Amino acid sequence: MKKLNIELFSGIVDKDSEFIPLVTSEEEERFNAEELPLELPILPLRNTVLFPGVVIPITVGRDKSIRLIQDVFKGDKRIGVVSQIDEEIEEPGINDLNSIGTIATVIRMLKMPDGNTTVIIQGKKRFEIEEIIQSEPYFKAKIKKFNEFFPEKNDKDFEAITASMKDLANRIIEISPNIPSEAKFVIKNIDSDSFLINFIASNLNVEVKKKQELLETPDLKERAKKVLTLLTRELQLIELKTDIQNKVKVDLDKQQRDYFLHQQMKTIQDELGDNPMKQEIEDLHKRAKKKKWNDEVKAAFEKELEKYQRLNPAAAEHSIQHNYLDLLLELPWNEFSKDQFDLKRAQRILDRDHFGLEKVKERIIEHLAVLKLKGDMKSPILCLYGPPGVGKTSLGKSVAEAVGRKYVRMSLGGLRDEAEIRGHRKTYIGAMPGRIIQNLKKTETSNPVFILDEIDKLSIGMQGDPASALLEVLDPEQNENFHDNYVDLNYDLSKVLFIATANSLSTIPAPLRDRMEIIEVNGYTVEEKIEIAQKHLVPKQLLENGIKKSDFKIKKPTIERLIENYTRESGVRGLEKRLSKLIRSRAKAIAMDEPVDPEVKIEELNTILGPSYERSRYVDNNVAGVVTGLAWTPVGGDILFIESSITKGKGKLTLTGNLGDVMKESAVIALEYLKAHADHFGLEQEVFDCYNVHIHVPEGATPKDGPSAGITILTALASLFTQRKVKKYLAMTGEITLRGNVLPVGGIKEKILAAKRANIKEIIVSSENKRHIEDIEERYIKGLTFHYVDLMQEVVDIALTNEKVDNALEIVRLPDYEKAL
């Protein structure tokens, strides 16, 4: 309940403590019997609700309200009081007022020192607004009677409710320090049940919306129940608050008591000579003597140890300081594992665990060779970049075994807090070192092989940019003095062999990418995947599924069909899942004592694995305007078809297939180039104004973007308008300019592998991509013919034959060009 202002009541407390209430039952009946006026001036209230019989003071500040009070005070002093729906509105309109209010009488009007006007009003009876008939200079409304329902006399339930209300109200007055004890006399001497309910409702500590709900409740018994519920809740909150305050007081008393007891125990233990605090400090000293730290770290540790000795064991800082000292002692300062420089053994381990990846293995062996000859070298920061499932992460374990170092992996995917790298300052509650320092503590060596997995998936969050924090970690010139906020001392990371992995370089910030040596890990050919499956995947899955080698056999043709029809990736992760499914089917048969042939036949693949999906393959060249392009995806290369068609119209260009902005721009450039060089293709300029062009790239659910489809789109348009066939088994990739130049593109190896899978025989690429193709091993490009071009006209000359498609459209061409064909 709110603090009651007793002086506002016109009742008095006499010497016999008998209270003469403001509203008696007779007065309440007289209020209800008064004739309802047809019209009333309306006073809006912002933060309170007036109930019948209740007296409240109102501070009037609005110009409209002051004018209303002045006019009413000169007249019959009756007003209609309603609360606002939204108390935040400064100047309410007609729709901002509740429709149910209370007729009130202005008892007194006072001018306050601050210039505001305060009026004391008393509620009489409820009413309902029928219509607002005046808005200026203040609201005036037609009103009607508000029908109320009263319980029957001697209603036992109602009597019990009102009695409970009085008890609860008295209990709240007793335990609440903000309510004067005189309020109990007010409650005791109210003899009208209706006024009791209104009086308590008016003083409840609830929001205006709840009070308005009570005012609008027509059934008195129902209103009493609601007030009783709110009273019960308020009493519980006050009791809970009191309990919490008492508990806090008890906790403080307990802390003081514990402090004195600890001091007494310390004195007794000093006398007996077995003080555990002293023993702990001696243990810290002994551990410190074994550490190989430099003078700076040693001085910092001794300073922190002295601070720890002065702390009271009961203080909160005691455990924080102990944890910090523990970390300094557990970190492997200047402790290194011995590198193994047997390069032939290292080569055997790398070849044993990973098929292919020759460049990566070569780079590791180079590093070991330099380290062996020089004896000391800052470790390089390697970044293995390539599609998922090609063995980037698992390569780290092999490298660690090859060089004889500890292995640790830290996943960066989704990391968005800078403190995960640099740690928190130890002054914060729950502070801890960054994950770099934590992992070094676990490995107990300062030169492990440290895998930073998924470095391209770092995020920027509210807590800073982790990628920026990694700049110091991954810079060989800076990381010998890496500063963790929790350790607050420089730590040497220059001997750590960091290996980062990424699926895409585009999302790695340029400064971070500049600090790493990028090594591209390309996808595998079908032949390589077969070797990997036989040497690595099948033995691994046999072990994991508890199958003997004699119980499962799979031949190369079956693995090849599995790769071509059931996987669609550059790596081998999906292949491993499919092989695991085959092995589990054999495990089930063996466990159920079913007769089964150990060898998995090609015919069984469909039964065990379900329907396969056919890869995108070259179809034919019987349709004009359809050209095969090569695309790079995060899971490897693929082929895509650029389809185009024309219909008679006004030269409109339509693009579909979920294309990105760059690819749309390539289509616009291609069409404009075709228009600009119409003579070369034997076309009249008017042709482009007579036909609408539609370009579509199938698989519309897959987003597609990038400039590498430029020459493919232009070739498709040239074929479409000339109705010439495209050369069989031909694919292409390259960016075009408005002048007709062909620019190089990326992902060449993945695109070539995709072309081989799709049975492509010839590939057109930019001349500048020739160096990329020369870097590819011969086995990858065997059976392919490459055409290197610089200009778009060369592409069209190679790609288009002089043969027209069947059922060719009659498109107007230059006469001489028709003869030439």
Side-chain angles (χ1 to χ4, degrees):
M1 294 175 69
K2 291 182 178 179
K3 184 175 180 179
L4 299 175
N5 193 346
I6 299 299
E7 293 77 26
L8 290 177
F9 293 100
S10 61
I12 61 169
V13 180
D14 63 13
K15 61 182 180 180
D16 297 321
S17 298
E18 286 295 319
F19 180 79
I20 304 173
L22 176 63
V23 178
T24 63
S25 297
E26 292 78 15
E27 287 178 312
E28 191 175 29
E29 289 178 6
R30 181 167 54 81
F31 288 164
N32 290 329
E34 285 182 5
E35 186 176 349
L36 199 71
L38 297 176
E39 300 175 0
L40 267 181
I42 302 298
L43 176 66
L45 299 184
R46 293 181 64 176
N47 52 10
T48 190
V49 175
L50 178 65
F51 287 84
V54 178
V55 177
I56 61 171
I58 301 294
T59 300
V60 182
R62 298 170 178 156
D63 293 337
K64 283 186 175 183
S65 301
I66 294 172
R67 176 73 179 273
L68 183 150
I69 294 298
Q70 289 174 346
D71 290 352
V72 167
F73 199 74
K74 297 173 185 177
D76 63 355
K77 301 182 180 180
R78 287 199 299 179
I79 57 173
V81 178
V82 295
S83 62
Q84 295 180 195
I85 296 173
D86 184 359
E87 58 189 85
E88 298 296 329
I89 296 176
E90 189 64 37
E91 293 293 337
I94 295 173
N95 297 324
D96 298 322
L97 304 178
N98 286 302
S99 60
I100 308 298
T102 305
I103 298 174
T105 301
V106 181
I107 299 174
R108 188 175 300 173
M109 183 170 69
L110 304 170
K111 289 284 187 181
M112 306 305 290
D114 59 359
N116 289 328
T117 300
T118 298
V119 291
I120 299 172
I121 59 176
Q122 179 185 24
K124 292 293 186 71
K125 61 190 297 185
R126 291 171 172 79
F127 74 94
E128 184 176 355
I129 294 177
E130 189 173 11
E131 180 186 5
I132 300 292
I133 59 174
Q134 174 183 303
S135 297
E136 296 293 337
Y138 45 79
F139 293 114
K140 186 177 285 187
K142 283 185 179 181
I143 64 171
K144 62 182 179 179
K145 182 180 178 181
F146 180 82
N147 295 319
E148 294 186 66
F149 305 99
F150 299 89
E152 296 177 1
K153 287 186 177 183
N154 301 322
D155 186 331
K156 299 299 182 184
D157 288 345
F158 183 70
E159 289 175 2
I161 292 171
T162 53
S164 297
M165 286 172 55
K166 283 189 176 183
D167 293 340
L168 287 176
N170 288 329
R171 174 64 180 152
I172 291 173
I173 293 167
E174 287 174 2
I175 65 175
S176 178
N178 297 325
I179 303 177
S181 58
E182 291 86 353
K184 293 180 70 175
F185 294 107
V186 177
I187 300 295
K188 178 182 177 182
N189 288 280
I190 294 177
D191 60 354
S192 167
D193 293 334
S194 176
F195 178 65
L196 174 69
I197 295 167
N198 290 335
F199 179 81
I200 294 176
S202 179
N203 288 284
L204 281 171
N205 192 19
V206 297
E207 60 267 32
V208 174
K209 186 177 179 182
K210 290 281 187 184
K211 289 187 177 182
Q212 181 66 26
E213 183 180 333
L214 293 173
L215 184 71
E216 294 178 0
T217 304
D219 191 328
L220 184 61
K221 187 173 179 179
E222 183 65 27
R223 194 187 314 154
K225 289 180 181 179
K226 291 182 179 180
V227 172
L228 183 61
T229 301
L230 294 172
L231 264 181
T232 304
R233 177 178 173 274
E234 187 167 347
L235 177 60
Q236 291 173 347
L237 289 174
I238 293 173
E239 289 177 340
L240 181 61
K241 183 179 178 182
T242 305
D243 289 342
I244 292 171
Q245 290 173 344
N246 292 336
K247 190 177 292 184
V248 170
K249 183 180 178 183
V250 170
D251 288 343
L252 289 174
D253 291 343
K254 185 178 182 299
Q255 285 181 11
Q256 292 174 350
R257 177 175 172 273
D258 290 347
Y259 173 75
F260 288 119
L261 287 174
H262 277 298
Q263 290 299 108
Q264 291 174 0
M265 286 177 62
K266 183 180 178 183
T267 304
I268 294 169
Q269 288 166 347
D270 285 341
E271 292 294 328
L272 295 174
D274 58 348
N275 190 336
M277 184 68 179
K278 283 187 177 179
Q279 293 178 0
E280 188 176 347
I281 291 171
E282 287 176 7
D283 180 57
L284 292 174
H285 273 298
K286 288 179 182 178
R287 292 169 63 190
K289 288 179 182 179
K290 300 177 183 178
K291 300 302 292 183
K292 299 178 183 178
W293 45 35
N294 55 35
D295 294 339
E296 180 189 359
V297 180
K298 184 178 180 181
F301 175 81
E302 290 176 351
K303 181 181 177 182
E304 294 296 331
L305 186 58
E306 288 177 8
K307 180 181 176 182
Y308 178 67
Q309 288 177 271
R310 295 193 299 268
L311 286 173
N312 178 13
E317 293 84 358
H318 184 270
S319 61
I320 295 174
Q321 190 70 6
H322 184 271
N323 291 340
Y324 179 67
L325 292 171
D326 253 353
L327 177 68
L328 291 183
L329 289 168
E330 291 176 5
L331 280 175
W333 302 90
N334 297 319
E335 295 178 17
F336 307 102
S337 58
K338 189 176 180 181
D339 289 332
Q340 298 180 13
F341 298 120
D342 187 347
L343 301 188
K344 292 183 178 179
R345 173 183 171 274
Q347 185 72 57
R348 285 197 304 271
I349 291 173
L350 294 174
D351 290 337
R352 179 199 69 193
D353 294 342
H354 290 82
F355 189 84
L357 306 180
E358 303 303 333
K359 284 189 178 181
V360 183
K361 295 175 188 176
E362 183 183 354
R363 181 64 187 87
I364 298 297
I365 298 299
E366 286 174 358
H367 170 63
L368 293 179
V370 174
L371 196 60
K372 181 177 180 179
L373 296 175
K374 189 178 179 184
D376 182 27
M377 171 184 170
K378 290 183 179 179
S379 292
I381 313 298
L382 306 179
C383 179
L384 305 180
Y385 149 66
V390 294
K392 300 186 298 297
T393 304
S394 62
L395 186 69
K397 285 186 179 180
S398 302
V399 172
E401 184 183 350
V403 299
R405 292 188 179 189
K406 296 284 186 71
Y407 167 82
V408 61
R409 173 183 167 273
M410 175 179 167
S411 177
L412 300 176
L415 194 71
R416 59 179 65 243
D417 189 351
E418 180 190 348
E420 293 283 344
I421 307 297
R422 290 190 176 275
H424 309 80
R425 298 200 178 276
K426 62 177 181 289
T427 52
Y428 296 137
I429 295 173
M432 58 196 316
R435 289 168 65 183
I436 302 288
I437 294 295
Q438 288 184 46
N439 283 306
L440 290 177
K441 172 186 164 184
K442 291 177 185 176
T443 58
E444 300 177 347
T445 176
S446 290
N447 64 336
V449 174
F450 204 121
I451 304 298
L452 297 171
D453 213 6
E454 310 290 357
I455 199 171
D456 58 325
K457 295 175 179 62
L458 286 169
S459 303
I460 298 177
M462 298 290 290
Q463 295 81 20
D465 183 6
S468 298
L470 277 176
L471 293 177
E472 183 183 6
V473 176
L474 299 183
D475 192 337
E477 300 300 324
Q478 298 181 36
N479 63 10
E480 62 182 353
N481 293 314
F482 173 68
H483 188 87
D484 184 277
N485 291 327
Y486 184 85
V487 178
D488 205 21
L489 293 166
N490 291 333
Y491 196 94
D492 186 5
L493 298 179
S494 62
K495 304 296 189 296
V496 178
L497 177 57
F498 286 104
I499 299 178
T501 70
N503 298 132
S504 173
L505 297 180
S506 60
T507 55
I508 303 176
L512 187 59
R513 192 167 62 243
D514 184 59
R515 282 164 168 79
M516 298 185 293
E517 183 176 340
I518 307 297
I519 300 176
E520 189 172 359
V521 184
N522 294 309
Y524 299 109
T525 62
V526 174
E527 293 76 14
E528 287 176 329
K529 288 183 179 181
I530 293 172
E531 292 294 327
I532 293 170
Q534 288 185 323
K535 293 181 179 179
H536 300 283
L537 303 184
V538 171
K540 176 185 174 184
Q541 289 302 319
L542 289 175
L543 182 64
E544 290 186 359
N545 291 281
I547 302 295
K548 295 178 182 178
K549 191 175 181 180
S550 58
D551 293 332
F552 181 85
K553 297 185 184 301
I554 185 168
K555 292 184 177 179
K556 285 187 177 181
T558 308
I559 297 176
E560 185 176 355
R561 177 67 63 86
L562 182 65
I563 293 168
E564 291 182 344
N565 289 10
Y566 288 91
T567 64
R568 197 167 190 172
E569 57 180 353
S570 292
V572 292
R573 192 169 288 149
L575 174 59
E576 184 176 7
K577 292 176 183 176
R578 298 295 184 179
L579 287 169
S580 177
K581 173 68 175 173
L582 295 176
I583 292 172
R584 288 198 305 272
S585 70
R586 287 295 186 266
K588 175 186 172 185
I590 294 169
M592 299 178 70
D593 297 325
E594 296 177 356
V596 64
D597 185 357
E599 183 181 345
V600 178
K601 302 290 196 304
I602 292 178
E603 299 77 29
E604 293 181 79
L605 294 180
N606 191 57
T607 305
I608 299 172
L609 300 178
S612 64
Y613 55 81
E614 290 292 336
R615 288 192 168 274
S616 300
R617 287 185 174 275
Y618 176 82
V619 185
D620 56 47
N621 65 341
N622 292 327
V623 180
V626 180
V627 183
T628 307
L630 300 175
W632 178 92
T633 71
V635 294
D638 204 352
I639 69 169
L640 55 81
F641 298 101
I642 304 297
E643 302 177 349
S644 59
S645 67
I646 53 174
T647 55
K648 289 191 176 181
K650 298 181 179 180
K652 179 183 176 183
L653 174 63
T654 304
L655 305 170
T656 56
N658 203 350
L659 309 183
D661 292 338
V662 177
M663 202 165 181
K664 289 178 181 178
E665 290 172 0
S666 296
V668 174
I669 293 171
L671 184 58
E672 291 302 319
Y673 176 82
L674 194 66
K675 290 179 181 178
H677 298 80
D679 292 345
H680 176 78
F681 298 101
L683 299 173
E684 295 281 2
Q685 281 290 341
E686 290 76 11
V687 169
F688 300 102
D689 297 327
C690 299
Y691 291 94
N692 292 334
V693 180
H694 188 154
I695 298 174
H696 176 69
V697 184
E699 297 185 25
T702 305
K704 310 168 193 71
D705 201 5
S708 61
I711 65 172
T712 317
I713 295 173
L714 183 50
T715 305
L717 292 176
S719 168
L720 181 68
F721 277 96
T722 61
Q723 292 293 292
R724 293 161 60 187
K725 286 187 176 182
V726 180
K727 196 172 185 180
K728 280 189 174 184
Y729 304 110
L730 175 75
M732 59 189 71
T733 181
E735 181 180 356
I736 61 169
T737 68
L738 203 55
R739 294 177 297 165
N741 295 329
V742 180
L743 303 182
V745 292
I748 292 297
K749 182 178 178 182
E750 284 82 0
K751 292 176 179 179
I752 289 174
L753 292 178
K756 287 197 72 174
R757 289 195 297 265
N759 204 28
I760 296 295
K761 305 299 183 186
E762 298 181 53
I763 298 176
I764 301 176
V765 293
S766 167
S767 297
E768 294 183 42
N769 279 128
K770 185 176 182 179
R771 55 191 175 90
H772 299 112
I773 295 174
E774 289 173 348
D775 286 340
I776 300 173
E777 295 180 39
E778 181 65 29
R779 56 182 171 174
Y780 289 104
I781 58 177
K782 186 178 180 181
L784 292 175
T785 301
F786 292 93
H787 300 280
Y788 302 106
V789 296
D790 294 307
L791 301 174
M792 195 55 232
Q793 291 180 358
E794 298 175 47
V795 176
V796 176
D797 292 341
I798 295 169
L800 298 187
T801 67
N802 290 332
E803 182 183 357
K804 287 189 177 182
V805 297
D806 298 336
N807 301 318
L809 297 175
E810 293 298 328
I811 299 177
V812 179
R813 292 186 181 82
L814 296 175
D816 294 341
Y817 189 81
E818 290 283 352
K819 291 177 182 177
L821 286 177

